[in-house]
Amino acid sequence: MSGVAVSQTEEDTGRETGSGAAPRYSRRLSDKILIAFHHACDQADFEVAEQLLHILEMMLTRRPLTPDGTRRRNMESLIAAHERLWHLRHPNADEL
């Protein structure tokens, strides 16, 4: 496995360490916040989900530190998250 040791705990948090290397995180903070948002939705904790969505929106709408070409995909994920929360809060809206 090319000298990379990954424990179960490190794998769960997305952190990998090599021999003597500094920790490397495999997911961006915005990805982790989006995952936490979906987890809050799954737990029906809509207040927490909404707060996480506000944080994610702030992160994605501020001026990017590096132009990486993923802005459109990030914005699509943000819109989909807003739609999911709205549908969870308004389950009977489709019947109108």
Side-chain angles (χ1 to χ4, degrees):
M1 192 161 105
S2 70
V4 176
V6 179
S7 72
Q8 181 65 32
T9 303
E10 291 170 337
E11 190 174 276
D12 290 344
T13 60
R15 191 178 87 195
E16 298 176 6
T17 57
S19 55
R24 187 182 85 219
Y25 295 90
S26 60
R27 293 185 188 231
R28 297 172 300 168
L29 180 58
S30 59
D31 293 336
K32 291 180 181 183
I33 293 171
L34 187 60
I35 290 168
F37 162 80
H38 286 295
H39 187 73
C41 286
D42 293 343
Q43 298 294 316
D45 195 342
F46 303 137
E47 185 177 337
V48 169
E50 185 173 9
Q51 292 299 314
L52 289 166
L53 207 50
H54 286 299
I55 292 168
L56 183 62
E57 186 171 359
M58 182 266 305
M59 290 178 69
L60 296 179
T61 57
R62 68 182 173 193
R63 199 164 72 186
L65 299 175
T66 57
D68 60 357
T70 61
R71 182 168 173 75
R72 181 177 180 159
R73 189 172 61 229
N74 290 338
M75 295 308 284
E76 288 172 354
S77 294
L78 180 63
I79 292 167
H82 273 285
E83 289 175 350
R84 179 178 186 202
L85 185 58
W86 190 89
H87 283 291
L88 289 170
R89 286 191 162 166
H90 304 92
N92 297 327
D94 292 335
E95 296 175 3
L96 297 177

